Every structure is written in C-alpha cells, then in structure tokens.
Amino acid sequence: FVYLLLSRVHLYMENWNEASYYADKVIADSRFRLLDFPDFPSGSHIEVHTYRCPEVIWPYSYSGEFNEYENPYMMVYSLGGSVAFVIASSELYYKYSADDIRRDQYLVRDVRSINYKAFGKIALKSGSSDPNPNNTFARSLRVSEAYLNKAEAQAEIFKESGSAEAKTSAINTIQALRAKRITN
C-alpha cells in the first residue's frame, strides 16, 4: 500500500526514477498480480474491488455511495424516465476496440437509456445497470496502477534522456498490462 502511494506521489512530483522504483516494488510483491480479463466469460462483470481479486492492494468505500451520488443528479430523459448526468458516451464506448475487454467490463449499458455508465467495476443489482447498494467495496488501490505509474515514469525518463533502456521498459510494462486486458 505504502509503496503504491509513494509511486503515485513521486509521479506527481515528477521524480521519475523514484516513481519507477516504488512501482517496481509493488509489481514484484508476490501477494498481488494482474487479473487476466480474457479468462472471464463474455458478459460477466469482474468485481475488482474486493480482497478476492488478486489485483487489490487496499479496497475502500462502498458501492452504496454511488446511489447516494447518482440519485440526486438525475435528469428527465426526453424519451421518458430519468438518466444520470454523468455518463459515458457511445462515442467513448466505441473508441475501445472489440478486443479490449475493458469496454464491456467498465462501461455498462444503462437499461433505461442508450447511454453507458462507468459502473462495471463494482457489483451491480441483478438485471440492472445500477450499483448494488450493499456494503461491497466500490474503489481500491490496485497493482495495475503500479504498471501505469512505472510505464509513465519510464516514458518520461526516455523523453528527458533518450535512454533506450527506459523506452524499452515503458513499452514492456504497458504491454504486460495490455496482455491482461486485450484478447488479441
């Protein structure tokens, strides 16, 4: 947990070497590993904010908060019913390639409209596109962030120094993450 936070803080401070160093410590920790999205059946939603998920370092919050935040911010939809103000557009949805599993895992079609909600990473009510208001976790710090932190830090090192090693490290790190998120 602390190493991931240190990686994030150093990334914000533009201390690229330190950000990469602490991200490496998280990635090397055998208690955590990237979840292999292609292993999940199509249409099933992965609950990534639970200690049962191998990516989770520290879960927090609860899914009922989404209902608390969403319900007061509904607007009347022109075709009847209501829709959340904060939605993912169809344009965003289709920017993900068909091979990118995140599209169907992270963006859920709102059953009341033509829009998408970004609730796919949390438990949904059965037969619904709304968060399940139980006390399951809704957010988490995950090992996947360490991969993104390291890739960004290495890319910045490459940009500043021209280091071929940093370029290769950035590419390999992001490819390791993509291999767990994209089928082909």
Side-chain angles (χ1 to χ4, degrees):
F1 170 75
V2 173
Y3 290 144
L4 183 60
L5 288 179
L6 284 168
S7 174
R8 183 186 288 189
V9 167
H10 284 291
L11 195 65
Y12 291 155
M13 294 172 60
E14 299 182 5
N15 296 333
W16 312 126
N17 288 316
E18 292 85 352
S20 184
Y21 171 79
Y22 287 113
D24 275 334
K25 288 186 121 359
V26 175
I27 292 167
D29 191 323
S30 64
R31 294 174 295 173
F32 314 111
R33 65 177 173 75
L34 289 173
L35 190 63
D36 201 353
F37 280 21
D39 288 348
F40 282 81
S42 178
S44 68
H45 288 282
I46 303 165
E47 290 186 46
V48 297
H49 302 296
T50 169
Y51 279 123
R52 292 184 306 274
C53 177
E55 284 196 20
V56 170
I57 296 169
W58 185 65
Y60 61 97
S61 187
Y62 71 101
S63 58
E65 286 181 337
F66 282 97
N67 287 335
E68 292 171 17
Y69 294 134
E70 180 188 24
N71 291 337
Y73 300 102
M74 300 294 277
M75 63 181 185
V76 175
Y77 186 58
S78 62
L79 299 177
S82 60
V83 64
F85 277 116
V86 181
I87 57 172
S89 67
S90 295
E91 181 183 8
L92 173 63
Y93 180 83
Y94 289 108
K95 286 206 184 279
Y96 288 90
S97 73
D99 290 340
D100 193 332
I101 297 166
R102 296 171 302 172
R103 178 179 76 180
D104 294 322
Q105 288 298 333
Y106 295 170
L107 302 175
V108 176
R109 180 76 183 262
D110 186 344
V111 297
R112 294 178 299 268
S113 73
I114 60 170
N115 299 306
Y116 294 88
K117 294 181 178 182
F119 289 159
K121 293 189 286 183
I122 66 170
L124 301 175
K125 291 179 192 172
S126 180
S128 171
S129 58
D130 294 325
N132 188 343
N134 63 21
N135 285 330
T136 59
F137 294 114
R139 296 177 178 92
S140 63
L141 297 178
R142 299 178 300 154
V143 70
S144 52
E145 181 181 344
Y147 281 81
L148 293 171
N149 290 355
K150 178 180 178 176
E152 182 177 344
Q154 289 295 308
E156 290 293 341
I157 291 168
F158 166 68
K159 192 165 76 173
E160 289 179 357
S161 70
S163 165
E165 183 180 330
K167 178 181 178 182
T168 300
S169 177
I171 291 169
N172 289 343
T173 302
I174 204 70
Q175 290 294 71
L177 178 60
R178 291 181 76 220
K180 301 295 186 175
R181 302 301 192 253
I182 300 172
T183 55
N184 294 320

